[in-house]
Amino acid sequence: MKTHYYLGWFSNFFPENLGRVLQEDITDRKSLAMISSNPSIYDDGATERSWLDQAGIMFDKYYLINYRVQKEEAQKLIQNASVIFLLGGNILKQNGFLMEYELSGLIKKSSAVVIGASAGSINMSAKFLCSKNFGDEVEVSSVYDGIGLEDFSVLSHFDLESNMELVQSELSPLSEEINIYASNKDCALRLKGDKMDVFGDVYLISNSNIRKLDETF
């Protein structure tokens, strides 16, 4: 049964309930493969790793995948990883890197637990909208293809509560085609098989309508 976590961003560490289910889900801890969101610059994923450390989830080996790693080696690391973690940061640089290194298909096939934070969780989804109104570095709003671990879209780590009308108007066209799960900080979705669990304030935008989902933990 495949397990995927779509995280926002956490002000401090994982809430206790989220840390507990991660502990339960991550039983194989041989290696953690972290995929950079800005692969030209050295970013060791210290913040995301600290969340796992605080939850008592340690690995025998840690790998950071960026341009310092050869493409073939990166692919092997993904194939052998116990957990794959797509780091937060720049959505489109990470998206381009995933395509260039041909990692998306390998991640999709993997039986590892896959976690994405902010930009990483957006890239895990099937499609997503980049807009300068969301703070993205684009002039024209465009829809991009993600890895497609699940058939929905994600807007993660955005100040929804202060921008509800903006979010609804920007995402309405895409929401007619695909469900969109939007969240702010300190939130997460867990997909385990066909079951979805909700942590924090997560909203579903579908067919241009928006509603808050009930927390399941």
Side-chain angles (χ1 to χ4, degrees):
M1 187 185 303
K2 294 191 176 184
T3 304
H4 305 144
Y5 282 84
Y6 296 77
L7 309 180
W9 198 257
F10 293 89
S11 306
N12 295 302
F13 298 111
F14 292 139
E16 189 178 332
N17 54 354
L18 178 57
R20 188 174 63 252
V21 293
L22 278 159
Q23 278 268 17
E24 293 168 3
D25 287 338
I26 300 174
T27 53
D28 178 359
R29 301 185 186 180
K30 292 185 185 71
S31 69
L32 173 67
M34 299 177 288
I35 302 175
S36 175
S37 69
N38 199 345
S40 300
I41 297 171
Y42 185 74
D43 171 16
D44 59 2
T47 300
E48 292 94 327
R49 185 171 161 177
S50 75
W51 300 338
L52 293 169
D53 290 348
Q54 178 70 15
I57 303 169
M58 317 286 189
F59 295 85
D60 296 338
K61 293 184 178 178
Y62 294 83
Y63 300 101
L64 177 68
I65 298 174
N66 58 18
Y67 283 127
R68 295 185 179 192
V69 179
Q70 295 295 314
K71 179 177 175 179
E72 293 76 14
E73 178 63 17
Q75 292 177 346
K76 282 182 188 173
L77 291 174
I78 291 297
Q79 287 172 314
N80 296 325
S82 309
V83 173
I84 300 165
F85 202 143
L86 289 92
L87 302 177
N90 191 303
I91 306 166
L92 292 181
K93 285 182 180 177
Q94 187 177 63
N95 186 267
F97 181 65
L98 289 167
M99 285 193 288
E100 184 180 342
Y101 267 47
E102 298 178 48
L103 300 180
S104 294
L106 296 175
I107 296 169
K108 207 167 180 178
K109 286 178 190 170
S110 176
S111 58
V113 173
V114 183
I115 304 171
S118 193
S121 67
I122 292 169
N123 272 314
M124 283 165 58
S125 62
K127 294 182 180 183
F128 58 89
L129 177 74
C130 273
S131 165
K132 61 183 176 183
N133 290 326
F134 294 157
D136 300 320
E137 295 175 9
V138 293
E139 286 303 313
V140 179
S141 296
S142 300
V143 174
Y144 296 83
D145 289 327
I147 297 169
L149 294 183
E150 271 79 28
D151 190 24
F152 55 65
S153 181
V154 168
L155 172 65
S156 178
H157 185 198
F158 187 72
D159 184 8
L160 288 169
E161 288 78 6
S162 304
N163 297 280
M164 209 56 96
E165 287 185 14
L166 166 68
V167 168
Q168 200 163 0
S169 65
E170 285 278 325
L171 293 177
S172 274
L174 183 59
S175 78
E176 296 289 337
E177 180 186 339
I178 191 170
N179 283 344
I180 303 168
Y181 293 92
S183 67
N184 203 339
K185 294 182 180 181
D186 302 314
C187 299
L189 287 177
R190 176 176 74 157
L191 275 293
K192 190 164 186 174
D194 295 328
K195 185 175 186 289
M196 176 184 286
D197 287 306
V198 178
F199 302 81
D201 296 333
V202 180
Y203 295 79
L204 170 62
I205 307 170
S206 181
N207 295 314
S208 300
N209 296 310
I210 186 166
R211 67 179 176 87
K212 189 176 179 181
L213 299 175
D214 293 332
E215 279 198 81
T216 57
F217 276 83

